[in-house]
Amino acid sequence: QVTLWLKKIYGNQPIPQYEVNARTVDILYELVECNEARDRDVSLLIEDMKQKAAEYEAEANYLQGLLAESLDLSLSSLSSEGTSYLDVLVNSAMTLETKDTSLASFFCAINDMTSELYATESENREMELELTNIRKKLTAALMLEKQLEGDLKKTEERLEVEKAKADSQSQNLKFLKDKSEDLKIRIKAAEEQLAATGLNQSLTHESLVSLSE
C-alpha cells in the first residue's frame, strides 16, 4: 500500500531511495492514511460545492423564468441603471441576510439590526460610564498614593531629625555622667588629701555654712 501511494505521488518520476525498516514503513503508512483522509475530505467538499452550485443555478434559472413570465424581463433586457438597482437590492438582501427581497423581509431585518445597534450603543455607554468611574477611582488612588508617599517621606525625615536629637542628648547625658563621676572622684581625692594634712572638719565649707546659719 505504501509503495502504491509513493508511485501515485511521484508518477513517472523515480521514487527516492530510503531505508526500508519498520519505523520508516510505519511513518509512511501514517502519511498514506493522512493523505487519503485529506483527499476524502476534499472530495466531499468539492461534491458539496458542486451540489450548491447546481442548486444556485436552478434557483437563478427559476427566478429568471419567473421574471420573464410575469414581467417579461430578462437580465439582458435590463438597462445599466436597472442592473445597478438590482445589484444594490441583491447586495442589501445578502448583507441583511434576508430570506427574500420583499419589503417585509427588509423591514424586519432593518428593525432587528436597529435593535442590535441600540443594544450595542447602550452597552457601549454603560462600558464608557464604568470606564470613567474606574479612571476616577484610579486617579483618586494615585493621588492618595502620592500623598502617602509625601507623608512617609516627611515622617522619615522627621524621624531622622529626632534620631539625631536623641543621639546628641544621649552623648550629652553620657558626657554629664562621666563628668559627674570624674568630679566625685576628684572631690573624694581632695577630701582624702585634706584629711591627710590634718584639716579640722570645723573649717570645711559645710561646717562653716552651718555655723553661719
Side-chain angles (χ1 to χ4, degrees), residues 167-206:
D167 292 341
S168 177
Q169 292 177 353
S170 177
Q171 292 177 359
N172 292 336
L173 180 61
K174 183 177 183 302
F175 172 78
L176 292 176
K177 286 183 177 181
D178 294 342
K179 192 66 175 178
S180 176
E181 292 295 328
D182 180 61
L183 290 175
K184 288 180 180 179
I185 293 173
R186 292 174 62 183
I187 289 173
K188 186 176 181 181
E191 288 178 347
E192 291 176 354
Q193 184 178 1
L194 289 175
T197 57
L199 175 66
N200 189 352
Q201 292 296 325
S202 62
L203 297 179
T204 62
H205 178 71
E206 293 179 358

Side-chain angles (χ1 to χ4, degrees), residues 24-38:
T24 57
V25 172
D26 288 341
I27 294 175
L28 289 173
Y29 184 73
E30 290 181 2
L31 290 176
V32 171
E33 290 184 333
C34 292
N35 185 263
E36 291 180 349
R38 186 189 63 181

Side-chain angles (χ1 to χ4, degrees), residues 14 24 43 55 57 71 101 151 161 169 173 176 178 181 199 209:
T24 57
S43 298
E55 292 176 357
E57 185 177 0
L71 300 177
T101 57
D151 294 342
V161 173
Q169 292 177 353
L173 180 61
L176 292 176
D178 294 342
E181 292 295 328
L199 175 66
V209 171

Side-chain angles (χ1 to χ4, degrees), residues 104-124:
S105 297
F106 275 114
F107 285 150
C108 290
I110 292 174
N111 287 334
D112 291 341
M113 292 190 69
T114 303
S115 299
E116 292 179 1
L117 177 62
Y118 287 156
T120 304
E121 289 178 349
S122 178
E123 291 178 0
N124 289 339

Side-chain angles (χ1 to χ4, degrees), residues 6 13 18 23-24 50 54 59 68 70 94 109 111 118 143 149-150 157 185 187 193 195:
L6 290 174
Q13 298 179 1
Y18 64 94
R23 175 175 172 76
T24 57
K50 287 181 178 179
E59 186 175 359
S70 59
M94 293 180 65
N111 287 334
Y118 287 156
M143 292 179 63
E149 288 178 353
E157 292 175 353
I185 293 173
I187 289 173
Q193 184 178 1

Side-chain angles (χ1 to χ4, degrees), residues 92-153:
S92 299
M94 293 180 65
T95 301
L96 295 174
E97 297 180 355
T98 60
K99 63 179 181 179
D100 51 39
T101 57
S102 64
L103 287 177
S105 297
F106 275 114
F107 285 150
C108 290
I110 292 174
N111 287 334
D112 291 341
M113 292 190 69
T114 303
S115 299
E116 292 179 1
L117 177 62
Y118 287 156
T120 304
E121 289 178 349
S122 178
E123 291 178 0
N124 289 339
R125 285 193 295 269
E126 292 178 358
M127 291 180 65
E128 288 178 358
L129 181 59
E130 184 177 359
L131 180 60
T132 301
N133 293 332
I134 292 175
R135 285 176 178 173
K136 289 181 180 179
K137 292 180 180 179
L138 179 60
T139 302
L142 292 175
M143 292 179 63
L144 179 60
E145 181 183 5
K146 187 175 182 180
Q147 182 179 356
L148 291 176
E149 288 178 353
D151 294 342
L152 179 62
K153 185 177 181 180

